[in-house]
Amino acid sequence: MERLSPEERRRRSERGKITARDVLFQPEVRARTMAPEVRQQAGRAKTETILGWCPPHLRDTYRHLVNRKHIPAAEARAMIDEEVARQERARLAALTPLQRQIERLEKGGTLTAKFTPKKAEHAFTLGGVGSGLL
């Protein structure tokens, strides 16, 4: 918007006023947009946008830390991130090695053959020193 010319700003402003008058402020449009289910959906979308980084089951904890305990948002986020990491470590610790391997495969991992080096075919090194393997 900063790069627009004054004429373009004025034109957009006028167009916005016309749209608001002719469409947005009409009673049937206002009734649809202010319906409780529409407002709830908008609230959920806004929460998902703002707190998308936070798992849904920890969002109330984050809000409690910020709003009730008055902990700075960055610090509360670090606390939530640590809690998520702790829960993931506990979940992985509860799995058997086979279950962890199966989980990796389900997430797109692949199986590869185990590397087994071949026995040297000669009894000397590339520098000519005998190794005595024969």
Side-chain angles (χ1 to χ4, degrees):
M1 291 296 291
E2 295 172 355
R3 296 180 186 170
L4 294 178
S5 65
E7 304 86 47
E8 178 64 15
R9 285 186 190 177
R10 187 188 51 73
R11 188 189 68 76
R12 287 188 180 195
S13 175
E14 290 300 320
R15 185 67 201 152
K17 290 175 185 177
I18 292 169
T19 301
R21 183 191 70 219
D22 295 345
V23 178
L24 299 178
F25 293 146
Q26 295 299 315
E28 62 276 0
V29 174
R30 296 279 296 172
R32 276 197 318 262
T33 58
M34 298 309 288
E37 58 275 357
V38 173
R39 301 309 316 147
Q40 287 174 351
Q41 182 180 1
R44 284 191 296 272
K46 184 175 180 179
T47 297
E48 190 60 39
T49 299
I50 294 172
L51 295 178
W53 60 269
C54 185
H57 68 281
L58 292 175
R59 288 179 182 170
D60 287 336
T61 304
Y62 174 78
R63 288 184 187 112
H64 177 75
L65 291 172
V66 172
N67 297 329
R68 303 281 183 187
K69 299 287 185 176
H70 304 290
I71 295 175
E75 191 176 329
R77 182 173 181 163
M79 293 169 71
I80 294 294
D81 287 341
E82 179 55 38
E83 177 64 20
V84 169
R86 187 193 63 73
Q87 289 176 355
E88 182 62 14
R89 284 191 304 270
R91 186 187 71 79
L92 289 176
L95 296 176
T96 65
L98 178 62
Q99 289 171 327
R100 285 195 292 270
Q101 291 172 355
I102 291 172
E103 184 177 301
R104 286 187 202 120
L105 288 174
E106 289 172 346
K107 289 182 179 179
T110 59
L111 295 175
T112 58
K114 181 179 177 184
F115 174 73
T116 53
K118 297 180 182 178
K119 182 179 176 189
E121 299 175 2
H122 43 75
F124 57 90
T125 65
L126 292 177
V129 179
S131 63
L133 292 177
L134 293 178

